[in-house]
Amino acid sequence: MFVRTATASTTAAALLGAGALLLPADRPEAPERQTPVTAPVTAPVVVAHRGASGYAPENTLAAVDAADALGIDWVENDVHRTRDGELVVLHDTDLKRTTDAEQVFPDRAPWAVKDFTAAELAKLDAGSWFGAQFTGARVPTLTQFLHRLERNRQKLLLEIKSPETYPGIERDIIRVLGRSGWLDRSHVRDRLVIQSFGADSVKKVHTLRPDITTGFLGTPAVADLPSYAAFTDQINPSYATIGADYVAAVQRLKGPHGKRLRVNTWTVNKAADAVKARDYGVDGIITNFPDVVRDATS
């Protein structure tokens, strides 16, 4: 999912090693106290988008730890594949925005992830663009990311980025998940969802491992929803594209595991929008500022 991430002020830092967090000055304000709604509402699950990316550089281990410091269980990430077949965690198809690749490898334009080896990516600084206190943060491999989540006892919403660029990446992801212990019954049942904007990619994951919970990123037409329900357990649309009627239409259907389809919407960073999304009936909210959304909707 591509959205513009909020950037922390340079005077704020995540003191993750000490287990505490300093919140940036531009943290979204909480809304004024709302009049209670007449019908009971359930607080949606809060998912830290690319980690707590409002407080630490996205898709880094620091962002995972920032989410953990805030008490957030679910973390979303993005997975690509390097030239030599390593799965790595970052959002863009190129390295320009969130690393110093242009400085370290000035002759390697357009700096596409697929054109670099894992060893070359390991040399890049993936943190200083966000704040000086994160200088030296690295692009993690998927294995490193999974190990950090495991250490923190967190859960993973994994997005397959640009699957058409990486033929066979679904099988590669499942292989790494298995090697890292993420395909046992407890992880598959409670701690793992794989999603993509590519319907064919989601179908492939479902075919390879029918037990894994899957999500389709987007807002299919209501008339098309039954065809998606054949292979995905979640419809995960942009917040700007939904309303209560659409959420209800999705949730009326059952997915391949016989459970009603769930809706996780993205990317909601303002408290007032989070309240609206909750009142639409969404099951989850994906956000750069998970504490803001949690406090607004609980």
Side-chain angles (χ1 to χ4, degrees):
M1 288 171 292
F2 183 81
V3 292
R4 184 172 53 197
T5 52
T7 304
S9 67
T10 55
T11 58
L15 300 179
L16 301 175
L21 195 69
L22 292 179
L23 304 183
D26 57 356
R27 177 182 186 272
E29 295 181 358
E32 297 179 2
R33 186 175 297 277
Q34 304 291 314
T35 302
V37 295
T38 56
V41 293
T42 302
V45 172
V46 178
V47 181
H49 184 232
R50 310 177 196 172
S53 57
Y55 302 119
E58 62 182 62
N59 277 325
T60 63
L61 300 184
V64 174
D65 289 343
D68 183 54
L70 292 169
I72 302 300
D73 291 334
W74 278 95
V75 173
E76 185 263 0
N77 75 354
D78 307 284
V79 177
H80 293 264
R81 190 171 63 201
T82 65
R83 189 177 74 190
D84 54 341
E86 187 76 55
L87 298 180
V88 291
V89 178
L90 73 166
H91 179 272
D92 299 358
T93 56
D94 66 66
L95 300 160
K96 293 183 289 185
R97 183 175 62 88
T98 59
T99 79
D100 59 349
E102 291 181 86
Q103 289 73 48
V104 178
F105 300 105
D107 58 346
R108 297 283 293 277
W111 298 281
V113 177
K114 65 182 179 63
D115 294 335
F116 286 78
T117 66
E120 288 171 332
L121 290 188
K123 299 176 182 178
L124 301 179
D125 181 339
S128 60
W129 68 273
F130 189 92
Q133 66 270 35
F134 296 108
T135 298
R138 301 303 176 192
V139 175
T141 66
L142 178 57
T143 298
Q144 291 168 337
F145 203 91
L146 292 169
H147 288 170
R148 184 58 58 91
L149 290 171
E150 191 66 31
R151 189 196 74 176
N152 295 345
R153 299 301 299 167
Q154 290 168 294
K155 306 175 184 183
L156 176 61
L157 175 58
L158 183 156
E159 182 182 345
I160 304 173
K161 297 299 296 185
S162 303
E164 66 281 356
T165 304
Y166 312 107
I169 191 172
E170 298 84 4
R171 193 178 295 275
D172 293 340
I173 287 171
I174 289 171
R175 186 182 304 116
V176 171
L177 288 168
R179 285 203 305 255
S180 300
W182 274 72
L183 292 182
D184 62 16
R185 183 178 178 185
S186 64
H187 285 80
V188 170
R189 182 185 59 204
D190 299 320
R191 296 179 60 190
L192 176 66
V193 178
I194 298 179
Q195 64 176 358
S196 180
F197 283 103
D200 288 342
S201 187
V202 179
K203 289 178 184 177
K204 189 172 293 186
V205 171
H206 179 64
T207 299
L208 291 170
R209 283 296 299 245
D211 54 331
I212 291 177
T213 299
T214 56
F216 174 73
L217 281 162
T219 314
V222 170
D224 295 333
L225 288 172
S227 65
Y228 287 84
F231 62 86
T232 192
D233 303 278
Q234 301 178 358
I235 299 294
N236 297 338
S238 165
Y239 167 72
T241 67
I242 63 169
D245 290 345
Y246 185 82
V247 172
V250 173
Q251 294 172 342
R252 280 194 291 268
L253 298 172
K254 290 185 178 180
H257 294 107
K259 299 178 181 179
R260 73 163 179 81
L261 294 185
R262 294 174 63 86
V263 177
N264 297 313
T265 190
W266 49 270
T267 299
V268 181
N269 291 325
K270 295 180 180 179
D273 291 338
V275 170
K276 289 180 182 178
R278 180 201 64 189
D279 292 347
Y280 290 160
V282 302
D283 299 287
I285 297 177
I286 301 167
T287 174
N288 301 338
F289 295 94
D291 56 329
V292 172
V293 170
R294 178 191 58 204
D295 295 348
T297 59
S298 59

